[in-house]
Amino acid sequence: GGILDGFTLDVLGAHAQRLYGRMRMWCAVSWGLGSFVMGIVNDKFGFDWNFLLYFIFCFIQLITMGCCMKTTSSHEKKPSEHGDKSELKRCLSDIRTIAFLSEVFLFGMCMGVVEKG
């Protein structure tokens, strides 16, 4: 998504941002090949395998990101020793943030009711 794209641009730095297009191209190629392979898996083994393989690949991605990615880029402020919670408090006290989180919570609850019924 957009957050990962922004982080990628930040990590690449100004000198290497021209490589971003190449990275996006290979992401699109891998997405296309993955869709093709999942179509074959879906035809041969059934739709339930989509969920299992999605879980496996997401787990691998989370482990890889947790082990290999830097937590801050070169442009970000390094966190203080005790952590800077003032920015989080400011964000969570904003009425727009509260409204957004309430809406997401409400929609999630409604989807649970729809799926249950």
Side-chain angles (χ1 to χ4, degrees), residues 91-106:
C91 182
L92 290 177
S93 64
D94 183 27
I95 188 68
R96 292 177 297 173
T97 305
I98 293 169
F100 172 74
L101 292 175
S102 300
E103 184 177 358
V104 169
F105 178 76
L106 181 65

Side-chain angles (χ1 to χ4, degrees), residues 6-15 17 70-78:
F7 187 79
T8 301
L9 284 172
D10 198 22
V11 169
L12 285 175
H15 67 282
Q17 286 184 355
K70 299 186 295 185
T71 56
T72 58
S73 69
S74 58
H75 299 299
E76 292 177 315
K77 180 178 73 169
K78 300 290 182 200

